[in-house]
C-alpha cells in the first residue's frame, strides 16, 4: 500500500512538472510574438502624494480648505504638482474632488483617432500658481494674494485671471503649450489593464494629425546620481509632459525607454537622461542591445542630458555644464533643448581577453566605452570611491561629499603610490605599433575632451601642437596619454602641469602582465592579466546645446 501511494505521488509530481514547463514555454513563446508594451501607473485611483518641500518650491495652499501649507504638514502630488495640494487631514477630500493628471483617455485605436480629430479642452485648476505667473489674456501678473487665486491649465501651462476667464473659455481648445511637439497627448495613448488594478499597459500609440512635427521627449532618471534630488526633477517634468513620458529607474526599467521608440515610430524620440555619465552609458548600452529587435520603422533616439552626477564630463562636452539640480527652471531647460543640434558621438568596443590562469582560459567579455578608459592610479581612486559608495555607512549622497571622498583617496595614494612602475606591467600598442613608456602610474584612453571632472588634458600647455589632428569625439580616433602620479593629477586639475601625450590611434591594444585597477566611464574593477583591445563600434545621436 505504501509503495502504491508513493508511485501515485511521483506520477502526480512528474505530471505537474511537465505541465508547468509546457505552460512556461507557451508563455515565453507567446510573449516573444507580442508587440512592445509599456507598464504605467494608473492615476485615476488617486494622487501620488509627497511632502511639498520635495515637489514645489513656492508658497502653496490646500485645495480643500485653502489654508497655507507648512513643510511638515503639507503634501503635493508628484504627478500634477501644485494642481493637487493638501493638508494631511484633507488628502481624501482632494482625492475625491480633483482627479490626477491623466495618462490616457482612450481604450482603443478607433477611440484615439476620433478624439485626436476633435478639439482638446483645457483642464483648468484653481490656485497655487507659480510666483512668476502671467495671465495669457491681459498679460498682467496672476495668482497674487492668499488662498486659491486664478487658474492654470495642467497641460498647456497657461495661466488666467478668474475675471479674464469667462464661461465661454471652458470650450476653448488646448494646444498643449509651447512644447506641444514634445508632449504625448493623452488621447493618443491606448491602454489596457495590467496585472494589478493600479497598473496599466500602453498597448499602442496613435500619432497626432501632423506626425512630422511630433518628437516626444522621454525622461529617464536615476535617483542614485549626485545630490539625490532626481525625484524632484522627475516630478517637475511630469507637470510639463504626459506622466507616462517620465520613467523613474527606481520603479521602472531602462528597457521601457526603447519601448517608447517602438511605440512612437516613425517619429524620433529624444531621450533626456537625468543622471551622471554612468546612467548615459547605461542607456546607450541598452539602445545598442535592443535597437536591432525593434521594427524597421523605429528610429534610433537622440540623447540629451540633465547632469546630476559628480564628474559629468560628457555633459560638459555637450554644453550642459558641470551639473544641475532641482532649482533649474524646467521650462527654460526644455527651451534650450529646442535650440540644440544633433551631433554624432563615437562609441568604442572594448574586448577583454583574460590570459590563462592555472591552465584555464576564461571567456572574453565585450564592453562599450563612450568617454574614456583608464588603467592605474585614477582608476584606483575611482575603485575606492565605488566601494565607499556601496558601503552601508554611505548615508548621504551629494556632489560635495563625493568630491571630498575622491580627494581623500587621491591624497592617500600620494603617500602610498600603489600603482608605481605601471609601465613594467603593461604593453601599449597604438595601431599595431608598440609604444615605449616612461615611469608612469596611469594610462588613459580618451574619446572626449573632458576627463577627471572638468580637466581638458589633451589641450593643456603646448604639448598638443606635436599632434596635427584636432581632438574630436566623432573622428573615430582616440587620444592616449599617461600620468606620472596622483600628485600629477592634482597639478593638471589646476593647470600647473600637462600629461605625457602618447598619440592618437584608431585601434588601441593593451597587454596586462599583472592585476591592476581599471575603469570604463567611471565603472571600476580590478582587472587580472588580460589583453584589452579597443576598436570603433558605432556612432550615436547626441543633442548638443548651443551657447
Amino acid at each position: 500500500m505504501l509503495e502504491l501511494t508513493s508511485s501515485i505521488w511521483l506520477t502526480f509530481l512528474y505530471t505537474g512538472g511537465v505541465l508547468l514547463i509546457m505552460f512556461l514555454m507557451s508563455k515565453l513563446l507567446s510573449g516573444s510574438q507580442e508587440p512592445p508594451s509599456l507598464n504605467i501607473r494608473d492615476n485615476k485611483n488617486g494622487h501620488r502624494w509627497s511632502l511639498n518641500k520635495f515637489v514645489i518650491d513656492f508658497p502653496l495652499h490646500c485645495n480643500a480648505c485653502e489654508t497655507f501649507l507648512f513643510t511638515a504638514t503639507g503634501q503635493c502630488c508628484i504627478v500634477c504638482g501644485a494642481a493637487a495640494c493638501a493638508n494631511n487631514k484633507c488628502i481624501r477630500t482632494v482625492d475625491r474632488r480633483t482627479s490626477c493628471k491623466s495618462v490616457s483617455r482612450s481604450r482603443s485605436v478607433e477611440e484615439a483617432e476620433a478624439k485626436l480629430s476633435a478639439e482638446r479642452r483645457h483642464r483648468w485648476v484653481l490656485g497655487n500658481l507659480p510666483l512668476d505667473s502671467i495671465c495669457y489674456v491681459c498679460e498682467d501678473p496672476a495668482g497674487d494674494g492668499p488662498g486659491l487665486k486664478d487658474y492654470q491649465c495642467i497641460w498647456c501651462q497657461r495661466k488666467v485671471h478668474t475675471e479674464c476667464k469667462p464661461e465661454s473659455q471652458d470650450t476653448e481648445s488646448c494646444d498643449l503649450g509651447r512644447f506641444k511637439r514634445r508632449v504625448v497627448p493623452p488621447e493618443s495613448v491606448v491602454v489596457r489593464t495590467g496585472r494589478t488594478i493600479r497598473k496599466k499597459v500602453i498597448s499602442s500609440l496613435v500619432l497626432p494629425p501632423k506626425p512630422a512635427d511630433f518628437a516626444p521627449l522621454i525622461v529617464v532618471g536615476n535617483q542614485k546620481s549626485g545630490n539625490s534630488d532626481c525625484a524632484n526633477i522627475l516630478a517637475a517634468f511630469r507637470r510639463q509632459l504626459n506622466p507616462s513620458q517620465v520613467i523613474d529607474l527606481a520603479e521602472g526599467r531602462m528597457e521601457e525607454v526603447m519601448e517608447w521608440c517602438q511605440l512612437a515610430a516613425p517619429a524620433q524620440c529624444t531621450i533626456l537622461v537625468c543622471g551622471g555619465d554612468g546612467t548615459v552609458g547605461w542607456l546607450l548600452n541598452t539602445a545598442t542591445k535592443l535597437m536591432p529587435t525593434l521594427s524597421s520603422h523605429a528610429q534610433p533616439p537622440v540623447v540629451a542630458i540633465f547632469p546630476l552626477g559628480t564628474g559629468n564630463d560628457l555633459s560638459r562636452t555637450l554644453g550642459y555644464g558641470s551639473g544641475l539640480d532641482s532649482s533649474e527652471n524646467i521650462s527654460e531647460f526644455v527651451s534650450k533643448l529646442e535650440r540644440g543640434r544633433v551631433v554624432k558621438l563615437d562609441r568604442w568596443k572594448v574586448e577583454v581577453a583574460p590570459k590563462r590562469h592555472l591552465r584555464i582560459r576564461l571567456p572574453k567579455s565585450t564592453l562599450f566605452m563612450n568617454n574614456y578608459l583608464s588603467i592605474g592610479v585614477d582608476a584606483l581612486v575611482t575603485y575606492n570611491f565605488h566601494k565607499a559608495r556601496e558601503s552601508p555607512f554611505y548615508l548621504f549622497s551629494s556632489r560635495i561629499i563625493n568630491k571630498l571622498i575622491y580627494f581623500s583617496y587621491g591624497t592617500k595614494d600620494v603617500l602610498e603610490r600603489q600603482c608605481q612602475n605601471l609601465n613594467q606591467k603593461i604593453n601599449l600598442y597604438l595601431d599595431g605599433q608598440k609604444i615605449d613608456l616612461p615611469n608612469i602610474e596611469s594610462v588613459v584612453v580618451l574619446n572626449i575632451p573632458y576627463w577627471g571632472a572638468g580637466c581638458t588634458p589633451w589641450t593643456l600647455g603646448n604639448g598638443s601642437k606635436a599632434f596635427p589632428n584636432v581632438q574630436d569625439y566623432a573622428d573615430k580616433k582616440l587620444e592616449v596619454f599617461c600620468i606620472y602620479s596622483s600628485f600629477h593629477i592634482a597639478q593638471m586639475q589646476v593647470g600647473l602641469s600637462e600629461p605625457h601625450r602618447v598619440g592618437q590611434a584608431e585601434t588601441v591594444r593593451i597587454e596586462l602582465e599583472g592585476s591592476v585597477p581599471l575603469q570604463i566611464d567611471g565603472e571600476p574593477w580590478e582587472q587580472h592579466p588580460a589583453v584589452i583591445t579597443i576598436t570603433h563600434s558605432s556612432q550615436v545621436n547626441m543633442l548638443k546645446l548651443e551657447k
Side-chain angles (χ1 to χ4, degrees):
M1 184 68 181
L2 182 61
E3 294 180 356
L4 179 61
T5 305
S6 300
S7 62
I8 292 175
W9 273 107
L10 288 174
T11 304
F12 176 76
L13 293 175
Y14 176 78
T15 306
V18 172
L19 292 175
L20 178 61
I21 293 174
M22 292 176 62
F23 173 76
L24 294 177
M25 290 296 295
S26 64
K27 284 292 185 181
L28 180 62
L29 293 175
S30 62
S32 62
Q33 298 173 357
E34 292 181 358
S37 59
L38 187 65
N39 294 321
I40 59 172
R41 183 188 176 102
D42 186 12
N43 297 324
K44 291 188 176 181
N45 295 330
H47 297 278
R48 300 177 61 183
W49 298 101
S50 177
L51 292 176
N52 61 19
K53 68 176 181 178
F54 298 126
V55 183
I56 306 295
D57 58 356
F58 52 85
L60 299 172
H61 296 80
C62 177
N63 285 92
C65 61
E66 298 193 21
T67 57
F68 182 78
L69 295 183
F70 295 95
T71 302
T73 59
Q75 297 197 42
C76 291
C77 177
I78 64 174
V79 176
C80 47
C85 303
N87 287 311
N88 292 336
K89 62 181 181 180
C90 298
I91 287 179
R92 291 187 177 182
T93 303
V94 176
D95 269 334
R96 188 170 57 252
R97 290 182 181 178
T98 307
S99 61
C100 194
K101 192 174 184 179
S102 58
V103 171
S104 169
R105 295 176 182 169
S106 305
R107 291 293 180 268
S108 65
V109 174
E110 294 76 14
E111 183 181 358
E113 292 174 347
K115 289 185 177 181
L116 285 173
S117 61
E119 288 188 351
R120 183 184 304 104
R121 306 304 178 192
H122 285 291
R123 168 80 188 281
W124 296 112
V125 177
L126 178 64
N128 289 325
L129 274 64
L131 297 177
D132 57 350
S133 297
I134 300 295
C135 176
Y136 84 101
V137 176
C138 65
E139 299 184 354
D140 287 336
D144 295 340
L148 300 177
K149 301 291 184 180
D150 303 330
Y151 290 85
Q152 61 179 331
C153 176
I154 63 174
W155 284 104
C156 66
Q157 310 301 321
R158 288 187 174 90
K159 287 81 176 176
V160 62
H161 291 124
T162 303
E163 55 272 17
C164 294
K165 176 184 170 294
E167 293 298 326
S168 60
Q169 283 198 358
D170 289 336
T171 59
E172 183 182 349
S173 61
C174 175
D175 61 358
L176 300 179
R178 296 165 53 193
F179 312 116
K180 57 184 177 182
R181 65 187 294 263
R182 299 294 188 180
V183 180
V184 176
E187 298 85 2
S188 297
V189 180
V190 180
V191 300
R192 56 182 173 84
T193 305
R195 295 182 179 180
T196 61
I197 297 177
R198 295 185 70 87
K199 290 288 185 180
K200 300 293 182 180
V201 176
I202 299 179
S203 57
S204 61
L205 187 69
V206 179
L207 298 185
K210 296 181 179 180
D213 299 332
F214 185 54
L217 177 66
I218 310 302
V219 182
V220 56
N222 184 4
Q223 295 196 27
K224 294 183 179 180
S225 297
N227 291 333
S228 297
D229 55 357
C230 181
N232 306 5
I233 297 165
L234 296 182
F237 276 108
R238 289 190 189 98
R239 297 195 294 272
Q240 292 286 338
L241 308 171
N242 188 314
S244 63
Q245 294 177 245
V246 181
I247 300 171
D248 187 350
L249 292 177
E251 302 174 354
R253 303 169 293 113
M254 186 64 80
E255 289 76 9
E256 294 179 9
V257 176
M258 301 310 299
E259 292 171 3
W260 266 113
C261 296
Q262 172 79 320
L263 290 169
Q268 187 178 37
C269 293
T270 298
I271 310 299
L272 178 64
V273 180
C274 300
D277 292 344
T279 310
V280 177
W282 184 6
L283 170 65
L284 295 178
N285 290 339
T286 304
T288 300
K289 177 182 177 182
L290 296 183
M291 273 305 299
T293 66
L294 303 183
S295 68
S296 58
H297 299 289
Q299 297 191 44
V302 177
V303 180
I305 307 173
F306 193 101
L308 298 179
T310 303
N312 299 318
D313 290 309
L314 183 57
S315 69
R316 298 171 197 261
T317 301
L318 298 175
Y320 294 91
S322 59
L324 301 175
D325 53 31
S326 57
S327 63
E328 181 74 12
N329 187 306
I330 299 301
S331 296
E332 293 181 2
F333 181 81
V334 178
S335 297
K336 294 178 182 178
L337 297 183
E338 292 292 283
R339 298 191 297 268
R341 63 184 177 92
V342 179
V343 297
K344 296 292 185 179
L345 173 69
D346 288 330
R347 271 173 61 79
W348 298 84
K349 182 170 66 173
V350 181
E351 292 184 344
V352 181
K355 295 184 177 181
R356 287 184 180 271
H357 181 66
L358 299 178
R359 296 185 178 182
I360 300 175
R361 182 177 292 277
L362 300 176
K364 294 183 180 180
S365 59
T366 301
L367 307 170
F368 291 93
M369 181 189 78
N370 307 309
N371 301 353
Y372 41 74
L373 176 148
S374 65
I375 300 172
V377 60
D378 62 325
L380 175 63
V381 173
T382 305
Y383 184 51
N384 289 332
F385 168 76
H386 181 75
K387 290 191 295 184
R389 187 167 61 176
E390 296 297 324
S391 168
F393 300 102
Y394 185 78
L395 302 177
F396 304 101
S397 179
S398 167
R399 282 199 191 101
I400 296 177
I401 294 177
N402 292 345
K403 290 183 178 180
L404 287 175
I405 295 175
Y406 266 109
F407 176 77
S408 63
Y409 281 121
T411 305
K412 173 175 171 286
D413 192 77
V414 170
L415 303 176
E416 296 181 352
R417 303 196 65 180
Q418 298 182 29
C419 296
Q420 61 181 342
N421 301 322
L422 179 67
N423 53 296
Q424 299 178 8
K425 297 181 180 180
I426 69 173
N427 295 316
L428 176 63
Y429 297 85
L430 301 186
D431 291 334
Q433 182 179 359
K434 186 175 181 179
I435 305 298
D436 293 329
L437 298 175
N439 189 6
I440 59 171
E441 292 191 14
S442 180
V443 174
V444 180
V445 182
L446 195 62
N447 182 44
I448 60 176
Y450 287 92
W451 164 86
C455 180
T456 55
W458 197 253
T459 57
L460 284 174
N462 298 318
S464 60
K465 294 182 179 179
F467 301 94
N469 295 326
V470 179
Q471 185 184 22
D472 189 358
Y473 48 77
D475 60 357
K476 300 181 181 180
K477 289 186 178 182
L478 294 167
E479 288 72 36
V480 183
F481 64 91
C482 299
I483 299 170
Y484 297 118
S485 65
S486 182
F487 185 67
H488 186 204
I489 295 177
Q491 290 178 310
M492 291 169 55
Q493 292 281 359
V494 295
L496 296 179
S497 182
E498 58 186 80
H500 174 78
R501 297 174 182 85
V502 177
Q504 295 172 303
E506 297 178 0
T507 302
V508 177
R509 187 167 181 262
I510 304 174
E511 297 178 355
L512 301 180
E513 303 297 339
S515 298
V516 293
L518 184 148
Q519 69 151 336
I520 297 179
D521 295 344
E523 300 298 325
W525 69 92
E526 185 177 358
Q527 180 60 53
H528 298 293
V531 177
I532 301 172
T533 306
I534 307 174
T535 56
H536 189 265
S537 173
S538 62
Q539 290 185 327
V540 292
N541 299 320
M542 305 295 293
L543 191 67
K544 183 176 182 179
L545 296 188
E546 300 294 342
K547 295 181 180 180

